[in-house]
Amino acid sequence: FPETVSNPKLVLVQGTLNVVMKQNVTLSCLCEPGSPPVRYTLFKHNQQVSALNRSDLTPALFTLTISSASNVGEYKCKVEYNNSSGGKYSNSLNFTLIEPISKPVLSSPTSQAKKGQNVTLSCFSENGSLPITYLFFKGTQNISPQKTMQKREAAVIFLFINSLSDFGTYKCKANNSFPNNTKYSNGFNFTLAEERSHSQPLIISLGLILLLLIIGLALAIPFFIIPLYKASE
């Protein structure tokens, strides 16, 4: 019955296409219309994974356990009738492994700042499936729109230190599509840089002048003052 063979449909009946390690997923492959018996074969890329025979028009169910990264990728099924040559392939389903993110690190090129200065903060999670979304906080207040990074790179924000209230504890949080996996960073604090007084250079200069005068006076005593004192006796 070659003419009765149509392309089967491969659908996901349990689980999601974004999978985590040790997750079970079930695929259903069915060809309609058709005349039993039918052989269904599941492939990952070009490698056979499993095969089932059906003597009725019920779908073939394939259950997979995601035990390693090699279990994710593109799957298709193939349908064949006993007295048909070749076979036909279904649509494809592509599984993606998602991994939990690691604790993000919040950092800045400088730990000291002064009023009127621009500073930057960067938040980076080294591990975890992309994309990763970052959000920055000062205390419990959100200080930036969320930043979604499609590449393995840090999210960066720019801050203007306007007053002493801008010196406090900053944090960021990161999450991705892995369920229940929001992670918070370490706390980061800017310290107030000491501002040198404008009078300091003047004080230093006056001190040096006074020191030179004392040294000059000490040198003048044996050569000028003592001879003059003796001459007046």
Side-chain angles (χ1 to χ4, degrees):
F1 302 82
E3 66 277 5
T4 64
V5 177
S6 60
N7 289 89
K9 290 182 179 180
L10 185 65
V11 296
L12 185 67
V13 294
Q14 178 190 349
T16 59
L17 292 179
N18 289 328
V19 293
V20 299
M21 203 67 75
K22 298 182 180 179
Q23 180 179 337
N24 292 327
V25 294
T26 301
L27 304 176
S28 169
C29 188
L30 180 62
C31 185
E32 292 182 331
S35 299
V38 176
R39 181 175 176 83
Y40 292 98
T41 306
L42 183 68
F43 291 88
K44 180 181 177 291
H45 298 300
N46 295 320
Q47 183 179 1
Q48 180 176 325
V49 176
S50 183
L52 293 171
N53 292 323
R54 282 288 180 265
S55 58
D56 53 25
L57 293 179
T58 59
L61 298 178
F62 300 97
T63 299
L64 308 172
T65 300
I66 307 301
S67 57
S68 69
S70 63
N71 297 134
V72 298
E74 184 182 72
Y75 285 82
K76 287 185 178 183
C77 75
K78 179 183 179 182
V79 62
E80 299 169 281
Y81 286 82
N82 281 352
N83 51 359
S84 67
S85 60
K88 291 195 176 183
Y89 287 89
S90 72
N91 56 296
S92 62
L93 292 178
N94 201 347
F95 289 96
T96 302
L97 182 65
I98 56 174
E99 297 176 307
I101 53 175
S102 57
K103 180 179 178 178
V105 175
L106 184 65
S107 61
S108 175
T110 180
S111 60
Q112 291 189 330
K114 57 186 178 180
K115 288 188 289 184
Q117 181 178 342
N118 290 307
V119 294
T120 61
L121 280 173
S122 63
C123 186
F124 180 65
S125 187
E126 187 174 358
N127 299 310
S129 305
L130 297 171
I132 298 176
T133 299
Y134 296 95
L135 200 58
F136 292 82
F137 297 87
K138 181 180 178 294
T140 58
Q141 183 180 1
N142 174 19
I143 59 171
S144 73
Q146 68 178 21
K147 293 180 176 289
T148 300
M149 310 305 293
Q150 304 290 340
K151 297 180 180 179
R152 187 75 60 188
E153 57 188 17
V156 178
I157 63 169
F158 299 90
L159 301 173
F160 179 69
I161 304 299
N162 189 44
S163 65
L164 291 177
S165 64
D166 295 321
F167 292 91
T169 300
Y170 291 86
K171 283 189 176 184
C172 67
K173 74 174 183 179
N175 58 59
N176 62 1
S177 55
F178 194 93
N180 303 317
N181 187 232
T182 297
K183 296 284 182 68
Y184 286 85
S185 74
N186 55 295
F188 186 91
N189 289 75
F190 291 105
T191 57
L192 181 62
E194 293 184 5
E195 298 186 21
R196 296 183 61 182
S197 172
H198 295 295
S199 61
Q200 277 187 331
L202 179 60
I203 294 172
I204 293 172
S205 299
L206 291 175
L208 288 174
I209 292 172
L210 181 60
L211 179 61
L212 290 174
L213 287 174
I214 293 172
I215 293 173
L217 182 60
L219 292 174
I221 289 174
F223 294 102
F224 296 100
I225 298 177
I226 294 176
L228 288 172
Y229 177 75
K230 287 181 178 181
S232 63
E233 290 180 349

